Amino acid sequence: MGTNFDEKLIKESCVNICKVFQCSEDDIENISQLQAGMTNIVFSFNVNGGKFVYRHPGLGSELLVDRGRETIMQKVVEDIGIDTTLIAMDVEEGWKITRYIENRPFEYQNLNDMVRAIMLLKRLHEAPCKVRWEFDVIKKAEQIKSQIPPNLYGNFKEFIDIQNRIYRLYKLTKNDGIKQCNVHGDARDVNFLINKDEIYLIDWEYGGFGDPGFDIGSYICGGEHNIEDINKILFTYFRKTPTDIQKRHFYAYIALTGWFYMHWTMLKESKGQLVGKNKELWYGYAREFSSLALELYGNEVDG
């Protein structure tokens, strides 16, 4: 089992894999890292003639994730065909084993990829089965703030101005009449598994009942999009040109989502984990779209 992983992590993971597949450690082959450095550490492996994926909770994930709720979300989305990959999951420890899906990188600028992803989100948002807990982007950001040392909070340019605009927008969106629904809570490119025939949305750690704007916001904040791209995404989601209310609401949620990810960035950095280029990307969405959305609401932009 050649790998660059920490040996302790490998041992812990193999014990869990053996329990699920009733095999010995010698039966586990081809461990290969797929992802590290964000909320989780993820690797693939072979056992009993099949290929699977193991997720090990990453640094600080216990502060952000309710694993019991994740388990319920997983069942809801399995029933509606959005993610049917789960093999086993431990609610207490947070590890998970799923089927390996042959896939290629999701491409934001590929029109076919975008349409398939947005239609999958639309199907989630229109599902009749609703979970019972709320996902509120501002409350979630404030929860994360409480975990960040005060001296490490707010180290962005124009932070107070952005904060003021964000909270004004948050209040304004409440009067738009947009229906709440099941949301994924982190619908970025890294959570779409796509190939020629299939597309799945995976990792339901942040799922709940909330505003659909946050899923579209997280999709947009996952990559570099100009106004033309964003309007095309909204046209695809609504299947028509959005109304003025829909447009301002979803523009506002691009800003609110960027604000949320700024908090996620500060928490990670407070624990010594760098986020990389996404830090400036998310900050840019919060800064630019908080001003742009306020203008659409007919509000003066201060700062």
Side-chain angles (χ1 to χ4, degrees):
M1 294 185 298
T3 178
N4 294 324
F5 282 134
D6 178 86
E7 287 299 320
K8 181 181 179 182
L9 172 57
I10 286 292
K11 286 293 183 183
E12 292 175 357
S13 303
C14 286
V15 168
N16 296 329
I17 292 169
C18 290
K19 287 179 181 177
V20 171
F21 290 97
Q22 297 184 333
C23 64
S24 70
E25 188 173 327
D26 291 338
D27 295 324
I28 304 170
E29 302 177 321
N30 302 325
I31 292 178
S32 178
Q33 183 170 324
L34 299 178
Q35 177 184 319
M38 292 298 192
T39 305
N40 301 306
I41 300 161
V42 184
F43 61 87
S44 64
F45 65 94
N46 292 79
V47 70
N48 294 348
K51 188 171 183 178
F52 304 91
V53 176
Y54 185 94
R55 180 196 72 191
H56 184 86
L59 185 66
S61 62
E62 72 283 354
L63 301 176
L64 304 176
V65 179
D66 184 320
R67 299 295 180 188
R69 290 179 174 181
E70 180 190 4
T71 304
I72 296 171
M73 280 297 300
Q74 192 78 50
K75 176 60 177 172
V76 169
V77 298
E78 182 175 36
D79 288 345
I80 58 178
I82 290 177
D83 181 6
T84 59
T85 63
L86 182 66
I87 299 295
M89 179 177 174
D90 188 285
V91 177
E92 296 298 325
E93 298 180 8
W95 58 265
K96 181 172 73 170
I97 298 174
T98 60
R99 292 187 294 118
Y100 180 84
I101 304 296
E102 291 291 343
N103 67 96
R104 59 169 174 78
F106 184 91
E107 299 175 9
Y108 276 119
Q109 300 307 316
N110 181 317
L111 180 61
N112 185 56
D113 284 11
M114 182 274 282
V115 171
R116 291 170 71 188
I118 296 302
M119 288 297 94
L120 196 65
L121 288 174
K122 188 73 170 180
R123 177 145 52 106
L124 169 67
H125 296 167
E126 293 178 343
C129 180
K130 309 299 184 185
V131 296
R132 295 178 180 272
W133 62 91
E134 179 187 46
F135 185 105
D136 183 288
V137 61
I138 291 298
K139 292 178 181 177
K140 197 72 173 180
E142 290 173 347
Q143 177 187 343
I144 295 173
K145 176 183 176 180
S146 69
Q147 305 291 336
I148 302 170
N151 64 311
L152 299 178
Y153 183 75
N155 294 326
F156 288 90
K157 293 179 181 178
E158 306 171 37
F159 185 83
I160 298 301
D161 289 336
I162 295 170
Q163 178 177 257
N164 291 337
R165 295 198 296 266
I166 289 294
Y167 276 86
R168 288 167 63 195
L169 278 175
Y170 177 67
K171 291 178 181 178
L172 289 166
T173 61
K174 296 297 185 181
N175 298 318
D176 286 336
I178 302 296
K179 290 178 62 176
Q180 304 287 282
C181 59
N182 291 335
V183 296
H184 179 274
D186 193 24
R188 296 178 292 129
D189 56 342
V190 293
N191 287 325
F192 287 99
L193 293 182
I194 192 168
N195 58 38
K196 181 180 178 181
D197 302 312
E198 301 171 293
I199 183 170
Y200 296 100
L201 182 57
I202 62 169
D203 287 345
W204 295 89
E205 299 165 299
Y206 306 108
F209 192 73
D211 197 294
F214 185 68
D215 274 348
I216 300 302
S218 59
Y219 176 89
I220 290 168
C221 285
E224 296 182 11
H225 296 94
N226 58 33
I227 292 294
E228 182 181 353
D229 296 332
I230 290 167
N231 289 338
K232 190 179 298 183
I233 290 165
L234 294 182
F235 183 90
T236 301
Y237 182 79
F238 289 106
R239 303 183 180 96
K240 61 182 179 65
T241 301
T243 66
D244 290 344
I245 290 175
Q246 290 168 336
K247 182 176 180 178
R248 76 188 187 189
H249 185 92
F250 279 69
Y251 272 32
Y253 261 86
I254 296 170
L256 294 174
T257 303
W259 176 254
F260 170 81
Y261 285 136
M262 284 169 63
H263 283 70
W264 189 84
T265 295
M266 289 184 283
L267 176 63
K268 287 292 182 179
E269 291 185 340
S270 74
K271 295 183 172 298
Q273 187 173 352
L274 297 179
V275 174
K277 65 179 182 180
N278 283 332
K279 177 179 180 178
E280 288 302 315
L281 184 68
W282 297 333
Y283 166 70
Y285 280 120
R287 183 188 65 229
E288 300 303 325
F289 276 83
S290 57
S291 293
L292 184 55
L294 276 177
E295 292 174 359
L296 293 179
Y297 278 96
N299 277 242
E300 293 184 1
V301 178
D302 300 319

